[in-house]
Amino acid sequence: MKSEGEEDTMRTINQYLEELGRRKGLRAGLKRGLKRGLEQGREEALRHAVSRILTRRFKKVPPSVDQKLARADAATLERWLDAAVEANNLRAVFTAP
């Protein structure tokens, strides 16, 4: 049988361990959230860059292009960015390998 002091000590240790667990979980969550936020920011910057180049080079860009840009991932946006710099027409940007 544990004494009252031992039970208090166990309760304090358990509370301490729970708090450590919460802090560790919070740090991990913040790290994941920051990483995802940076990824989203990078994708948004790529979308903006592709859209701007297309508008400057081809003047009229249909709304379907904006929809396509909105659905694209970073790797695809990078490919389109490279293609947009040299493409002869809008269609060539999106069919480039």
Side-chain angles (χ1 to χ4, degrees):
M1 188 168 208
K2 293 181 184 175
S3 70
E4 198 173 309
E6 288 174 323
E7 287 181 15
D8 288 343
T9 300
M10 288 303 293
R11 199 171 316 135
T12 302
I13 290 171
N14 286 337
Q15 289 169 339
Y16 173 73
L17 293 174
E18 286 175 9
E19 180 61 26
L20 281 179
R22 275 193 286 277
R23 288 181 185 183
K24 185 176 180 180
L26 180 60
R27 278 193 303 273
L30 288 172
K31 189 174 181 180
R32 279 192 307 271
L34 179 60
K35 183 179 178 184
R36 182 61 189 138
L38 290 171
E39 289 170 3
Q40 288 175 340
R42 182 172 177 267
E43 286 180 1
E44 191 56 39
L46 285 166
R47 275 186 196 91
H48 179 75
V50 173
S51 179
R52 185 175 171 126
I53 289 172
L54 294 177
T55 301
R56 296 280 303 216
R57 294 214 52 226
F58 305 113
K59 307 300 181 226
K60 284 187 130 186
V61 178
S64 61
V65 169
D66 290 329
Q67 294 167 357
K68 191 175 270 204
L69 292 175
R71 291 189 305 268
D73 62 13
T76 302
L77 291 164
E78 286 177 350
R79 192 173 66 247
W80 290 344
L81 180 65
D82 292 341
V85 174
E86 298 179 4
N88 292 325
N89 59 56
L90 196 54
R91 183 178 301 222
V93 172
F94 300 103
T95 58

